[in-house]
Amino acid sequence: MFVTNGQAQTNNSKSQLPSSVDSLRVNAIIQDAAEAWAKGQNKEHALTLYTKAYELSLQLNYYIGCINALNRRANLKRSISLDLSAIVDYKTALAYGKKINRIDLISEDYLALMHTYFDLNHIDSALQVHVQLMKLLEHGGSRKVLFHSNYTLASYLDKQDTALGVKYRFEALEIAREENDPMLLVEILTVISKSFYGLKPSKEDNQYANEALWIANNSGDEYLLGLAFNTKATLSYYSNQIDSTLFYCKKAISVSKGLKSINNRILALQQTADAFEAMKDFKSQLYYLRQAYVFARKYNNFKFQIAICEKLAQTYKILNQPNKAFEYMAKFAALKDSFFTEQNIRASEEFGIKYKVAESEKLAVENKLKISEKENQLQKSKKYTWYSIGVALIAILVAIIFFLNYWHKNQLHKQQLQGLEQEKELQLLHALMQGEEKERSRIAKDLHDGVAGMLAAAKMQLSSLSIKNREIAERKEFQQALKLLDDSTHEVRMTSHNLMPEVLLRHGVDEAIRRFCQNISNDSLLDVRYESLGEPKRYIDTFELSVYRIVQELLNNVVKHSKATEAVVQLSESKDAMFIFIEDNGIGFQQPAQKEGMGLQSLQSRIKAMNGRFEVGTSGKSGVNAYLEFNTSELDA
């Protein structure tokens, strides 16, 4: 992962490039260590060789060699569960990468650090590394690195927070689309399409799987085709579409011919067997299980062999072939015992290596302590020489401290003034929002109780007149006047309802947004789909009304400007937060200036006043997506 063949460019004039002979010596030692590790033996010897390569590179100021040796040593330490020690190596390599300004090496170290922190369940540290990586990539570097970072975050955060996992997964998808890399696109699309968490696959899941299949077809890569066909087969199986499952499994088997696609082939054979099992066709199930077993055995895939042997034993038992059932159950038990025995042996070997490495590190620490004691003794002999210099320095330092203290107070005063101004602006905005809602409520009440009542009274008077004079009632103009009164009454009530929706006050923001989406949805023009995740909750009236207005304004923008045919609104509620995601398939932003228009700036200000977060993005071709996040820990009704 971290092998680098090119020479580093550095801005540090003091660092010298090694001769070709010296660099060859370092690379030869690293290669010997890699071969020792690859053979699955002598991991302790490999660690020693990597340390030797690092120390030699350090003497030669060969920073690429330092980074290479440290990263490989850290990878080996992670394989034997020395994660904390590996973190020290990654951070040291990171420092050398910054020294020679190699963004590619720095970003790889950040990724490795993030993986290690996640393995240790240090979520906060992993997220901090992700933030540092994003800041680094703002100044250049590969977007693919950011893809892998978001992909990793999604994988780990799914266990902690599904909403955040979904967010980072879709950010990874956006990067893959920007890079237009078939491998990245197919991998993330197949993962997203199979992330229905045990529920029946949705229409969107199939859309993502279809897109992955289309990209894989265009790439012509057999591995990607096998992956896409297997994904379609999985979705069909969980949707109880057995014929489709068999069709896609057959496709996956036919394209998965090469060595890199062997796992796709075995998985497709297993899925075919599962489909025939669902159809109660146990003979066909047996046929495909035996094929899967042949490939798993040929390529020494123990995990596949264990699962297939157990399934074969069950199938033979159903087909009333007890001898065969017993034979494969025995193979299952033997493989399982062999697998766990091998794991135990490996664990025992790794424990021994850990102990030896820990002892060597302990010895190194003791040596450093002895050296430190000797240096302390030398320092004591020189301290009297420095006393006179120290007095002069103290005087200078006191002057500097007084100056810094004055400067610090001045800066603090400026920050306090800025904070007060910002707080004043937020309070003013909050007051304006409350005044606006009060005015809307007053107007809605006046329309409903005043104008609507007067229109109803006018209709009643006309109706009374029609009873007394039948000739007037039959005139076209009279009927037209009644219809205009009915339409006017309806319009007044609709306007009153939009100004102050009654459903929001009665049922809360979840139901209010749902009904608003239903009201503006039109199959022939714009299909608006609403999804709600989590248990609906009630919040204080001002918060619910503000959220409703924001969503209403965003959807009105979709209706007016996007030229979209589909839109999705998703509201997710957790214990202390609310997340809202709005996406359409319209034309996106036509001009860069529109992205920072007055409407979005107004929304940004309102959401900031609510201590919320607002992000909006577009590719310019595939619509607009908006993300809102609010802290609701102190807003429960």
Side-chain angles (χ1 to χ4, degrees):
M1 177 178 176
F2 296 100
V3 176
T4 306
N5 294 322
Q7 288 188 336
Q9 295 179 352
T10 176
N11 297 325
N12 188 349
S13 59
K14 293 184 179 180
S15 69
Q16 54 188 5
L17 292 173
S19 67
S20 59
V21 175
D22 291 331
S23 61
L24 285 173
R25 283 171 58 201
V26 172
N27 292 332
I29 297 171
I30 291 175
Q31 186 61 33
D32 289 343
E35 289 177 0
W37 182 13
K39 291 176 182 177
Q41 47 188 279
N42 252 333
K43 291 184 178 179
E44 182 185 0
H45 180 58
L47 283 172
T48 303
L49 288 175
Y50 283 136
T51 303
K52 182 179 178 182
Y54 166 62
E55 291 173 349
L56 178 58
S57 299
L58 195 59
Q59 291 174 7
L60 300 169
N61 284 342
Y62 181 30
Y63 296 133
I64 293 292
C66 291
I67 296 168
N68 201 359
L70 285 168
N71 283 328
R72 285 175 171 269
R73 188 172 73 176
N75 293 340
L76 178 52
K77 286 179 178 180
R78 284 185 65 192
S79 74
I80 56 176
S81 302
L82 290 172
D83 293 314
L84 292 174
S85 182
I87 286 173
V88 175
D89 282 351
Y90 285 136
K91 287 185 175 180
T92 307
L94 190 62
Y96 286 121
K98 292 178 179 178
K99 191 177 184 68
I100 61 176
N101 196 26
R102 284 288 296 270
I103 294 178
D104 55 338
L105 300 180
I106 297 170
S107 57
E108 287 176 353
D109 278 316
Y110 274 137
L111 272 178
L113 268 176
M114 191 168 67
H115 276 287
T116 311
Y117 278 129
F118 271 127
D119 289 342
L120 292 169
N121 204 29
H122 295 174
I123 307 298
D124 290 341
S125 297
L127 290 174
Q128 288 174 7
V129 172
H130 175 69
V131 171
Q132 292 172 327
L133 178 58
M134 286 195 297
K135 289 181 179 178
L136 172 72
L137 295 177
E138 287 176 359
H139 306 291
S142 172
R143 294 275 290 167
K144 291 182 181 180
V145 175
L146 187 56
F147 167 86
H148 290 298
S149 179
N150 285 326
Y151 189 92
T152 302
L153 278 172
S155 301
Y156 283 99
L157 289 176
D158 273 343
K159 305 169 187 176
Q160 309 287 332
D161 189 330
T162 302
L164 272 179
V166 169
K167 174 182 179 293
Y168 283 112
R169 187 177 291 115
F170 278 97
E171 285 186 3
L173 175 58
E174 185 178 350
I175 294 169
R177 291 194 193 283
E178 291 174 3
E179 294 295 314
N180 197 25
D181 186 312
M183 180 67 72
L184 301 184
L185 279 167
V186 173
E187 284 185 352
I188 189 65
L189 285 168
T190 52
V191 169
I192 291 174
S193 64
K194 291 190 290 187
S195 61
F196 46 88
Y197 303 106
L199 304 174
K200 185 177 179 180
S202 66
K203 178 182 177 182
E204 288 75 15
D205 295 324
N206 277 294
Q207 287 176 347
Y208 289 123
N210 289 336
E211 184 181 354
L213 184 56
W214 183 82
I215 295 169
N217 267 321
N218 288 335
S219 72
D221 187 287
E222 69 170 66
Y223 168 75
L224 297 182
L225 278 168
L227 186 62
F229 281 129
N230 275 331
T231 300
K232 288 290 293 181
T234 301
L235 295 176
S236 299
Y237 180 80
Y238 283 105
S239 299
N240 295 321
Q241 298 174 3
I242 303 303
D243 290 341
S244 295
T245 305
L246 291 172
F247 171 79
Y248 287 117
C249 285
K250 183 178 179 181
K251 289 284 189 181
I253 293 169
S254 67
V255 300
S256 302
K257 298 176 181 178
L259 184 61
K260 71 174 184 177
S261 301
I262 193 63
N263 285 347
N264 282 339
R265 188 179 184 88
I266 297 172
L267 182 60
L269 290 168
Q270 280 188 296
Q271 289 192 120
T272 305
D274 290 341
F276 279 115
E277 182 182 19
M279 297 167 64
K280 307 297 183 184
D281 185 352
F282 298 110
K283 289 185 178 180
S284 297
Q285 179 194 7
L286 181 64
Y287 173 77
Y288 284 98
L289 281 173
R290 288 179 63 82
Q291 283 196 53
Y293 178 69
V294 169
F295 283 105
R297 187 176 180 184
K298 180 178 178 180
Y299 293 99
N300 293 322
N301 194 316
F302 285 102
K303 289 186 178 180
F304 272 126
Q305 286 185 65
I306 292 169
I308 295 169
C309 281
E310 185 179 22
K311 204 72 177 178
L312 278 167
Q314 295 170 359
T315 308
Y316 274 120
K317 184 177 180 182
I318 293 171
L319 292 172
N320 199 23
Q321 298 184 38
N323 291 335
K324 285 287 187 180
F326 179 77
E327 176 187 341
Y328 280 98
M329 186 53 72
K331 288 182 179 180
F332 165 74
L335 285 167
K336 195 172 181 181
D337 289 344
S338 174
F339 180 74
F340 284 111
T341 300
E342 184 179 346
Q343 281 190 324
N344 290 335
I345 292 171
R346 190 181 299 115
S348 176
E349 290 175 350
E350 290 175 353
F351 179 80
I353 293 172
K354 284 184 190 179
Y355 176 77
K356 291 178 180 178
V357 170
E359 285 294 315
S360 63
E361 289 182 350
K362 179 182 176 182
L363 183 61
V365 170
E366 289 176 352
N367 289 334
K368 286 182 180 179
L369 286 174
K370 289 178 181 178
I371 293 171
S372 179
E373 287 177 1
K374 290 181 180 179
E375 288 178 350
N376 286 335
Q377 290 175 357
L378 291 172
Q379 289 297 327
K380 285 180 181 179
S381 63
K382 297 178 180 179
K383 66 180 179 179
Y384 296 107
T385 307
W386 293 100
Y387 278 162
S388 57
I389 299 173
V391 172
L393 288 176
I394 289 172
I396 296 171
L397 285 173
V398 168
I400 292 173
I401 288 170
F402 276 114
F403 172 76
L404 289 176
N405 186 45
Y406 169 78
W407 180 83
H408 177 71
K409 286 182 179 179
N410 192 31
Q411 290 296 113
L412 185 61
H413 180 64
K414 288 181 180 178
Q415 290 175 3
Q416 288 174 345
L417 286 176
Q418 290 176 354
L420 288 173
E421 289 177 0
Q422 290 177 355
E423 185 178 353
K424 183 179 178 181
E425 288 177 3
L426 290 177
Q427 288 176 351
L428 179 60
L429 179 60
H430 190 65
L432 287 173
M433 289 168 60
Q434 287 184 333
E436 182 182 342
E437 292 302 334
K438 286 181 181 179
E439 185 64 15
R440 284 187 178 186
S441 178
R442 185 189 67 77
I443 293 172
K445 185 175 180 182
D446 289 346
L447 285 174
H448 186 274
D449 298 341
V451 178
M454 291 173 68
L455 289 171
K459 181 182 177 183
M460 184 176 68
Q461 292 295 333
L462 285 175
S463 298
S464 174
L465 181 62
S466 67
I467 294 171
K468 294 178 181 179
N469 192 333
R470 295 291 182 181
E471 292 180 1
I472 293 176
E474 294 174 356
R475 291 179 69 100
K476 181 180 178 181
E477 293 84 351
F478 183 81
Q479 295 296 328
Q480 185 67 20
L482 285 178
K483 185 177 182 303
L484 286 172
L485 280 173
D486 286 337
D487 292 344
S488 299
T489 302
H490 177 73
E491 287 296 327
V492 168
R493 286 180 176 169
M494 286 296 293
T495 303
S496 174
H497 174 77
N498 286 334
L499 285 170
M500 186 54 62
E502 185 178 351
V503 67
L504 179 68
L505 301 177
R506 287 189 176 183
H507 302 289
V509 68
D510 179 65
E511 186 62 24
I513 295 176
R514 183 188 304 278
R515 294 195 188 181
F516 181 72
C517 291
Q518 291 172 352
N519 289 339
I520 67 171
S521 181
N522 187 318
D523 292 339
S524 61
L525 296 176
L526 175 63
D527 180 18
V528 182
R529 186 170 67 258
Y530 177 73
E531 298 173 359
S532 177
L533 303 175
E535 189 69 24
K537 297 165 64 177
R538 291 305 305 269
Y539 306 98
I540 60 176
D541 292 344
T542 54
F543 175 74
E544 289 188 338
L545 189 55
S546 296
V547 171
Y548 177 78
R549 294 294 183 212
I550 291 166
V551 174
Q552 190 179 42
E553 184 169 342
L554 287 171
L555 286 176
N556 284 336
N557 285 339
V558 173
V559 173
K560 293 177 183 177
H561 308 298
S562 71
K563 297 183 181 179
T565 58
E566 292 182 0
V568 177
V569 180
Q570 185 182 79
L571 185 143
S572 175
E573 297 181 79
S574 63
K575 183 179 178 182
D576 295 324
M578 174 187 288
F579 308 94
I580 300 173
F581 183 75
I582 301 174
E583 184 176 23
D584 65 67
N585 65 345
I587 61 175
F589 295 130
Q590 292 298 305
Q591 298 176 0
Q594 285 180 292
K595 187 174 181 182
E596 299 298 332
M598 292 300 294
L600 291 183
Q601 287 183 357
S602 175
L603 279 177
Q604 284 277 19
S605 300
R606 290 165 62 186
I607 293 167
K608 183 178 179 181
M610 297 165 65
N611 291 323
R613 178 184 170 197
F614 177 51
E615 295 178 1
V616 62
T618 179
S619 68
K621 296 179 180 178
S622 58
V624 177
N625 57 78
Y627 172 77
L628 298 96
E629 181 179 328
F630 300 99
N631 185 341
T632 59
S633 57
E634 298 179 359
L635 298 175
D636 292 343

